Amino acid sequence: MVRWLALIFLFLASPAWAADAGKPDLVLTGQVLGADHQTYKPVTFDVPEGVTRLTVEVDYARDQKTVVDLGLLDPVRFRGWSGGNKKRFTVSAEDATPSYLPGPLPAGRWTLLLGVPNARPNSNAAYEARITFERRPGVTGFAPGPLKAAPGWYRGDLHMHTAHSDGSCLAQSGVRAPCPVYRTVEAAKARGLDFIAITDHNTTSHYEAMAELQPAFDQLLLIPGREVTTFQGHANVFGPTAFIDFRLGDPSVPTIKALQDAVAAAGGVFSINHPSSPSGEQCMGCGWTVPDTDYDQVQSIEVANGGSQRAQGGVEGPLFGVPFWEAQLNAGHRITAVGGSDNHDAGLTPDTPGSVGRPTTVVHAEELSTAGILAGVRAGRVFIDLDGTRDRMLDFSARSKAGAAAMGGVLTARKGEAVAFTVSVTGGEMAGVEVIRDGAKLPVAVGANGAFTVKMGDKASWVRLNLRDAQGRLLLIGNPIYLIPLP
């Protein structure tokens, strides 16, 4: 019965796939005959040099009650056996579909092993195995497609740690123990988040657990991430699953340019973490002090960090990252502000700064997928909900005679022209909206309808919003609209 249920409900999920939208590199066909009953049928194929990920998908005719199980061997070792519970699987150096082993993909003769527990006498069932090679690491994911295909605002946490680095939580006995990945995922589900990036320090070992958990959490997107921890600063890298060398200053990574180039080559988002934290013995390499950073290759900066918020007793203090970020905006760089809980204990209660989802980064994306969320971060249509609520919203748009733009976008207008802005707020009052231009608060009253105007200057500028409550406490941090004067 179990076997037949497995065949009826084929488990289609496989981790970290990106290439299957195109044509497979190999298509292997053949027949499973009655004579193959209760035998193992090897189907060999050659893997070329330089393959970083291998995906196999098998279909076969079932109308004659033939049953086919699947396994895989590389030229050196056994790589896994999924029997009849999967028709598709992936293996790579860093992660693999559950049932299969990650590790290097040696070039040479591989074997797709077809086990045949049942084939009726004189039967003849055709099979087709489609094999796809990826030769370059890139942005992938652990879900076989978007969890939601619709555009919308999606809420998530972009900075979290587990037992794969320095995350800990309470064991059954009440003592503190390394905290398994599933605890963080369960906490994110309970918080009502749409996506999370687990960012253990310098490692990729947590991807195996994420790949295993993603099919069971099919409403919570698990984004590949890691915190690149150097002696001069920490940065999250989102998207790629392949190892990226973190040894800044070592001959292997002599400069920040080499590190940033590696992230860019892999298609990742490079996001500076807690840039205003102290460095040195007080907090080893926590603040961003890396010389010669190319801020045009920085896609986001973590301006609100849950651990920093807890340490200083509030959001706005010496560890607040907004001044650092705004200095880069004023230098002409277009970098998205994000937040992260920097959670190290999945058991923290939701009202605690630094608990899972506090703060929450809210991203407008075309779909709930790794590629969709990262595209939304790059585009800058993002705001930070410092309390991690489920419903507060902040958005705005601008219009000039030359066109229109939404948060994260670029608008052109003539010098002296009044640019019209429209604000949308949920979970707060228009009276609590602050208008920030080039880092300074403007004495602009936002109307009850969310309207205000700003005159275009003679230089490039930017405008963004904050939302505060009646007591002045900061609730939401918005990203800019960039204003460019026409000649």
Side-chain angles (χ1 to χ4, degrees), residues 140-142 196-198 207 210 222-226 237-241 370:
T140 53
F142 302 115
I196 58 171
I198 295 175
Y207 295 164
M210 294 172 73
L222 308 183
I223 296 175
R226 90 288 306 265
V237 174
F238 305 118
T241 55
T370 293

Side-chain angles (χ1 to χ4, degrees), residues 313-372:
V315 176
E316 296 173 282
L319 307 181
F320 195 35
V322 164
F324 180 95
W325 167 57
E326 291 186 335
Q328 306 313 319
L329 298 181
N330 286 339
H333 306 291
R334 295 175 188 168
I335 303 174
T336 303
V338 299
S341 68
D342 202 357
N343 177 261
H344 286 71
D345 180 353
L348 290 178
T349 58
D351 59 343
T352 304
S355 61
V356 169
R358 185 167 182 163
T360 293
T361 300
V362 190
V363 181
H364 192 277
E366 291 304 306
E367 62 182 24
L368 184 56
S369 67
T370 293

Side-chain angles (χ1 to χ4, degrees), residues 412-432:
T412 59
R414 298 285 182 187
K415 176 185 174 182
E417 181 182 343
V419 177
F421 290 83
T422 303
V423 181
S424 176
V425 168
T426 302
E429 302 295 331
M430 285 297 178

Side-chain angles (χ1 to χ4, degrees), residues 270-354:
F270 188 90
S271 183
I272 293 174
N273 288 341
H274 41 69
S276 301
S277 293
S279 290
E281 291 184 356
Q282 186 177 358
C283 188
M284 299 299 293
C286 293
W288 191 261
T289 61
V290 183
D292 302 319
T293 301
D294 182 355
Y295 286 97
D296 287 330
Q297 286 207 73
V298 175
Q299 286 76 50
S300 60
I301 293 174
E302 184 187 71
V303 305
N305 176 280
S308 299
Q309 183 179 346
R310 188 167 67 253
Q312 65 189 4
V315 176
E316 296 173 282
L319 307 181
F320 195 35
V322 164
F324 180 95
W325 167 57
E326 291 186 335
Q328 306 313 319
L329 298 181
N330 286 339
H333 306 291
R334 295 175 188 168
I335 303 174
T336 303
V338 299
S341 68
D342 202 357
N343 177 261
H344 286 71
D345 180 353
L348 290 178
T349 58
D351 59 343
T352 304

Side-chain angles (χ1 to χ4, degrees), residues 66 133 189 198 237 289 301 323 353 413 416 462 482:
T66 298
F133 303 136
K189 173 191 171 186
I198 295 175
V237 174
T289 61
I301 293 174
W462 54 268
Y482 300 94

Side-chain angles (χ1 to χ4, degrees), residues 194-217:
D194 299 304
F195 66 88
I196 58 171
I198 295 175
T199 54
D200 282 310
H201 296 282
N202 295 331
T203 189
T204 57
S205 62
H206 50 296
Y207 295 164
E208 271 291 277
M210 294 172 73
E212 184 174 2
L213 290 168
Q214 180 65 91
F217 291 84

Side-chain angles (χ1 to χ4, degrees), residues 30 75 111 160 244 262 321 362 390 422:
T111 301
M160 318 167 88
I244 293 173
V362 190
R390 298 191 183 191
T422 303

Side-chain angles (χ1 to χ4, degrees), residues 15-225:
W17 62 283
D20 73 320
K23 294 181 179 179
D25 294 277
L26 296 175
V27 178
L28 310 176
T29 59
Q31 288 78 38
V32 176
L33 306 177
D36 296 318
H37 177 69
Q38 295 189 356
T39 66
Y40 294 95
K41 189 178 182 71
V43 178
T44 60
F45 60 97
D46 290 325
V47 173
E49 294 281 355
V51 171
T52 60
R53 185 175 297 279
L54 182 153
T55 299
V56 178
E57 185 166 9
V58 178
D59 284 309
Y60 66 93
R62 297 175 172 81
D63 57 347
Q64 302 172 73
K65 303 299 183 182
T66 298
V67 178
V68 177
D69 294 340
L70 301 180
L72 185 70
L73 298 92
D74 70 20
V76 179
R77 64 176 180 139
F78 171 77
R79 293 303 290 262
W81 179 261
S82 55
N85 64 43
K86 295 177 179 66
K87 63 176 288 185
R88 177 191 178 90
F89 58 85
T90 292
V91 294
S92 77
E94 310 296 334
D95 59 85
T97 300
S99 304
Y100 294 87
L101 301 174
L105 274 58
R109 183 63 53 90
W110 287 56
T111 301
L112 172 64
L113 192 57
L114 306 182
V116 187
N118 190 69
R120 289 179 173 179
N122 303 317
S123 64
N124 186 335
Y127 70 81
E128 179 179 275
R130 297 176 292 278
I131 301 172
T132 302
F133 303 136
E134 293 181 50
R135 294 174 174 81
R136 178 178 176 273
V139 172
T140 53
F142 302 115
L147 301 192
K148 293 182 181 178
W153 289 100
Y154 295 108
R155 296 174 179 265
D157 192 337
L158 291 173
H159 192 169
M160 318 167 88
H161 298 277
T162 72
H164 290 265
S165 57
D166 52 352
S168 66
C169 53
L170 296 181
Q172 285 181 305
S173 65
V175 302
R176 189 153 289 277
C179 203
V181 172
Y182 84 87
R183 294 262 190 106
T184 295
V185 176
E186 285 278 14
K189 173 191 171 186
R191 189 84 189 209
L193 298 181
D194 299 304
F195 66 88
I196 58 171
I198 295 175
T199 54
D200 282 310
H201 296 282
N202 295 331
T203 189
T204 57
S205 62
H206 50 296
Y207 295 164
E208 271 291 277
M210 294 172 73
E212 184 174 2
L213 290 168
Q214 180 65 91
F217 291 84
D218 57 0
Q219 296 178 351
L220 174 65
L221 179 70
L222 308 183
I223 296 175

